[in-house]
Amino acid sequence: MDLFRKKEINLNQASEMKKELKTSDLIMLGIGAIIGTGIFVVTGVAANQNAGPALSLSFVLAAVVVVLSGLSFAEFASRIPVIGGPYAYLYVVFGEFAAWLTGWLLIGEFLLAVSSVASGWSGYVRGFLESTGIRFPQALSGGYHPENGTYVDLIAVLVVIFVTYVVSLEAKKALRLNNIMVFVKFGIIALFIVVGIFFVKPDNWQPFMPFGFSGVLDGAALVFFAFLGFDAVAMAAEEVKNPQKDVPRGIIGSILIATILYIIVTLILTGIVPFTELGVTDPVAFAMRYIGHGTVGAVIAVGAILTLLTVTISMMYSLARLLFAVSKDGLLPKFMTEIDKKHRTPKKATYAAGVAALFFAGFFPLNILAELTNIMALAYLMLVSLGLLKMRRMFGKPKAGEFKVPFVPVLPVVSILTCIVLMLRLQAVTWIVFGIVMVIGLVIYFSYGYQHSKMNEH
């Protein structure tokens, strides 16, 4: 049994997918995936329970980890611009087993992210309906939890069905809706900043670190969730006009824009509302109500409902492309490799992603999803940084025109260490569930993937 058999990438092989995406599309895709749940939901709880006003530092720490990983992503995407992202990259440098582990971690991350955002979106919609006097049936308003009287989250199921349909269309059509929603997102964030900056009270920033530096670290481990999605850009490589240049620009550009917005919004949020009162699920809208601007708060709430769709679209898009890539290599069932003749998209892989996400979004009370998503993401980001070191040994430095990570091996090693630090801040139960998920992945690989791998044909 050869677990380290490597795949050679043929960059001249014709793709069945349309190559029509540019840098601007990729930056929009990245921002659509990144800015959503983190800024509209996680900020309040993280400030209230973990970091206080120093949450802005938590975002900076999380951003450092993400940027370090993003640099490795960018060089890989520039030198191996094929669909599958880090799964494909590690297939080339470490071999099949490492590629499968990475693909399995990514599938888990995207699947859990789609499901949790759909559930969060459902909560926003139910809250908005209740504010207008419409009460949703209790049995249909949450995951399976008979003690609370909930059996299925119907709104979450419906949004997953809608997003699955949109993503099954041409990539340009799916991302056009995403781009429109990104502009809406920018609009409501700008509205919050313009209105909120006049109500900032510096006294609310004291004490700045109420939970000490350990609280800042805990906050970073939680808000890392807010940055996930930049990897969605790498998944689009096979549909990009000039992947060597456009994919790295899309990755780094979307991370930097998101980081700046997170820091500004966090500082204003904790400057308006004392952190002790921010333990709410809609902190940005709550802050506007807190200063007597209920109408602005309502506009932001509606905007959040609309723009959280962009996160589900971006993540579902990436999940479908990943399933397509892994299936093309034989590690998952072959039916997901079929390309729809009309739209030239991996429609069956998209539907498979939709069914799985629908199940989790509809029936699971996903209370530790953010942490579970984080630990899976941090684990594969470590593998990517290790992979960069191996790629440099195998292929040397990048050629002219290809993206180059500076200060190798120092930056990749720092990236690995920072990922470990954040992982160690997560709860024990998260590690237990993570272990179970990895065992399931190993069972699938050894019982199906290895025997059906395309590498057996060599």
Side-chain angles (χ1 to χ4, degrees), residues 36-346:
T37 311
I39 209 163
F40 295 122
V41 181
V42 177
T43 43
V45 175
N48 178 254
Q49 298 179 6
N50 297 108
L55 184 64
S56 54
L57 294 183
S58 297
F59 273 112
V60 172
L61 283 177
V64 168
V65 178
V66 172
V67 168
L68 288 171
S69 300
L71 290 172
S72 295
F73 258 87
E75 183 171 321
F76 265 117
S78 178
R79 302 180 73 178
I80 310 176
V82 293
I83 198 165
Y87 160 76
Y89 308 155
L90 296 193
Y91 217 141
V92 175
V93 297
F94 280 136
E96 185 174 272
F97 184 62
W100 166 257
L101 288 180
T102 305
W104 183 245
L105 289 166
L106 269 170
I107 289 168
E109 179 211 329
F110 287 134
L111 179 61
L112 295 170
V114 168
S115 304
S116 60
V117 175
S119 295
W121 191 87
S122 172
Y124 260 94
V125 171
R126 288 197 309 276
F128 178 74
L129 290 176
E130 286 176 11
S131 71
T132 61
I134 301 172
R135 288 200 63 82
F136 212 69
Q138 180 71 8
L140 304 177
S141 61
Y144 186 77
H145 200 301
E147 292 83 359
N148 290 346
T150 59
Y151 293 89
V152 61
D153 191 337
L154 181 61
I155 295 176
V157 167
L158 293 175
V159 75
V160 169
I161 291 171
F162 170 73
V163 167
T164 303
Y165 170 72
V166 169
V167 172
S168 71
L169 304 175
E170 283 104 324
K172 198 75 176 176
K173 285 185 180 177
L175 298 189
R176 192 174 296 133
L177 174 60
N178 178 71
N179 292 355
I180 292 169
M181 291 300 180
V182 169
F183 284 116
V184 173
K185 192 181 299 187
F186 275 135
I188 61 175
I189 291 172
L191 176 64
F192 173 76
I193 292 170
V194 169
V195 174
I197 200 166
F198 295 103
F199 293 89
V200 169
K201 295 180 180 177
D203 288 347
N204 287 334
W205 290 330
Q206 302 299 327
F208 189 65
M209 279 194 208
F211 304 99
F213 188 68
S214 65
V216 174
L217 279 176
D218 290 339
L222 180 59
V223 301
F224 185 81
F225 179 77
F227 285 97
L228 298 181
F230 77 90
D231 39 15
V233 177
M235 297 297 168
E238 208 165 301
E239 295 163 275
V240 178
K241 285 183 177 177
N242 186 359
Q244 270 89 355
K245 291 185 178 178
D246 290 344
V247 173
R249 287 172 182 167
I251 290 171
I252 303 299
S254 55
I255 291 172
L256 291 179
I257 292 169
T259 302
I260 292 166
L261 286 175
Y262 279 143
I263 292 169
I264 293 172
V265 168
T266 302
L267 285 171
I268 292 176
L269 181 67
T270 53
I272 294 174
V273 185
F275 74 91
T276 52
E277 299 182 42
L278 275 175
V280 293
T281 55
D282 57 344
V284 178
F286 173 79
M288 292 294 100
R289 296 194 296 270
Y290 187 84
I291 56 177
H293 283 272
T295 303
V296 176
V299 170
I300 287 173
V302 172
I305 288 170
L306 291 173
T307 58
L308 282 174
L309 272 177
T310 64
V311 184
T312 41
I313 288 172
S314 298
M315 290 292 188
M316 183 69 78
Y317 173 92
S318 304
L319 177 58
R321 268 66 186 168
L322 178 61
L323 291 174
F324 172 77
V326 177
S327 301
K328 265 208 315 191
D329 293 326
L331 302 181
L332 286 174
K334 190 179 178 181
F335 76 89
M336 287 189 281
T337 63
E338 291 181 29
I339 297 289
D340 179 69
K341 287 185 171 59
K342 180 180 178 183
H343 299 298
R344 287 164 68 187
T345 57

